[in-house]
Amino acid sequence: MVDHLTKRFGGRTAFEDVSFTVTSGEVFGFLGPNGAGKTTTVRTLGTLVAPTSGSAVVAGIPLTADNGTEIRQRISIMPENPGLYVRLTVVENLELFAGLYGLRNHGPRIDQALEAVNLTARARDACGSLSKGLRQRVGLARALLNDPAVMFLDEPTSGLDPVAAREVHDLINGLRQRGVTVFLTTHRLEEAERLCHRVAILNTTLRSVGRTDELRQSLFRRSLVVETVAPLDAPDGVFSRTAAVESWRSDGTATYMLTVADPRTAAPAVTRALVAAGADVLSISEPHHSLEDVYLKLIDEDPEAPPA
């Protein structure tokens, strides 16, 4: 839980008055443009920097200076660049970080982490010989060593090719199935839409938070797209007399955009009206607004967003 959290560096505000709740076992997407405060929020919740004001509870523990050590034992953070020692092998890197975590008898824990990210066969390879995708897997294995309740992943697929990115997605889905709470910052909107239960959009302050379908419904009016073989002779006479249609506009030579309250109720009524008017109907469909549409609309409407 995050409650009115703010972080300032002198006269610069990194983020301000941010509030949201992440439920246990949820994959929570944290989106926003460069400089929006996403990474600073992660660093604050990860006890790496102290908030200026506000409060938070991380992994069930209040975010205070006195609780920093206890919180860090319950969470893990994987930055965009995992920061591995390239001259050490995969297992040597994990042994080093297990020691920093203070883990005793860490051999079984390292074996479990390697198995979780499908790297057992590469355990003795030097990290410098691995592709970026494999290094990201090593970073995930390192983040799993302390069996975290909450995992912060900052741009985990940045710079990866589609195959490597899909492998990371599979690993995140595996974490979700194990009940790990995943806090995911990403610029890949299709990634967030595929993986996340809910998303938050930040631009210094929180612009919106919720499931993508909830955000779509709150930002976009419900509508139907009608395509006919030829333009209608009197489209206003067809659409304005249909009770289910609130308004309409032409969106092409023989394409019409209808604003409706309920597309499922409106579509049959519109179909009947078109048939009665002698129109040859090609299609009647409800347009799909992606998470990218939601994101761009919120950022475009943001009064604090920088000019394009």
Side-chain angles (χ1 to χ4, degrees), residues 26-297:
E26 180 178 17
V27 179
F28 186 81
F30 208 50
L31 315 177
N34 291 328
K38 303 185 301 299
T39 297
T40 305
T41 302
V42 170
R43 290 172 59 83
T44 302
L45 297 176
T47 76
L48 300 178
V49 296
T52 302
S53 61
S55 63
V57 176
V58 182
I61 305 167
L63 181 64
T64 65
D66 292 340
N67 291 340
T69 299
E70 186 178 0
I71 290 174
R72 288 191 292 272
Q73 291 174 343
R74 296 277 293 146
I75 70 171
S76 64
I77 300 176
M78 179 183 162
E80 180 178 346
N81 183 347
L84 304 171
Y85 293 93
V86 295
R87 294 187 179 182
L88 299 182
T89 66
V90 171
V91 74
E92 287 170 343
N93 267 277
L94 297 183
E95 287 172 346
L96 173 62
F97 285 99
L100 294 176
Y101 278 124
L103 299 177
R104 298 180 178 179
N105 189 27
H106 52 247
R109 188 70 62 82
I110 289 174
D111 291 341
Q112 292 170 6
L114 288 172
E115 184 177 356
V117 300
N118 300 317
L119 274 182
T120 301
R122 308 298 294 269
R124 303 297 172 183
D125 291 359
C127 283
S129 69
L130 303 178
S131 67
K132 183 170 183 179
L134 291 178
R135 291 187 194 184
Q136 292 293 83
R137 286 205 227 170
V138 178
L140 282 168
R142 184 184 67 194
L144 289 169
L145 285 175
N146 63 329
D147 193 22
V150 180
M151 183 178 289
F152 294 92
L153 303 181
D154 193 3
E155 301 288 347
T157 59
S158 176
L160 298 186
D161 62 54
V163 174
R166 180 181 295 179
E167 291 175 348
V168 174
H169 294 169
D170 291 341
L171 293 172
I172 293 173
N173 283 325
L175 293 172
R176 174 170 54 188
Q177 293 169 7
R178 292 171 53 185
V180 177
T181 302
V182 177
F183 192 97
L184 173 69
T185 67
T186 180
H187 282 110
R188 295 187 174 188
L189 301 181
E190 75 285 355
E191 177 175 84
E193 188 158 26
R194 183 182 303 116
L195 295 174
C196 299
H197 297 89
R198 292 183 302 137
V199 298
I201 298 176
L202 181 77
N203 198 9
T204 306
T205 59
L206 197 64
R207 302 306 174 189
S208 191
V209 60
R211 298 197 312 269
T212 53
D213 57 343
E214 294 173 340
L215 298 180
R216 289 188 194 101
Q217 291 182 20
S218 67
L219 291 172
F220 297 99
R221 300 187 69 180
R222 307 297 294 277
S223 58
L224 289 173
V225 178
V226 174
E227 293 185 84
T228 55
V229 171
L232 299 175
D233 293 332
D236 190 62
V238 176
F239 299 131
S240 296
R241 295 176 185 175
T242 306
V245 177
E246 297 176 355
S247 63
W248 71 275
R249 61 179 172 83
S250 178
D251 200 28
T253 303
T255 303
Y256 307 90
M257 182 71 72
L258 315 182
T259 300
V260 299
D262 181 1
R264 291 179 62 85
T265 301
V270 170
T271 302
R272 288 192 294 270
L274 289 167
V275 171
D280 293 322
V281 181
L282 286 177
S283 66
I284 298 178
S285 60
E286 184 178 5
H288 174 74
H289 296 287
S290 68
L291 180 56
E292 180 177 7
D293 296 327
V294 171
Y295 175 89
L296 292 175
K297 186 173 180 64

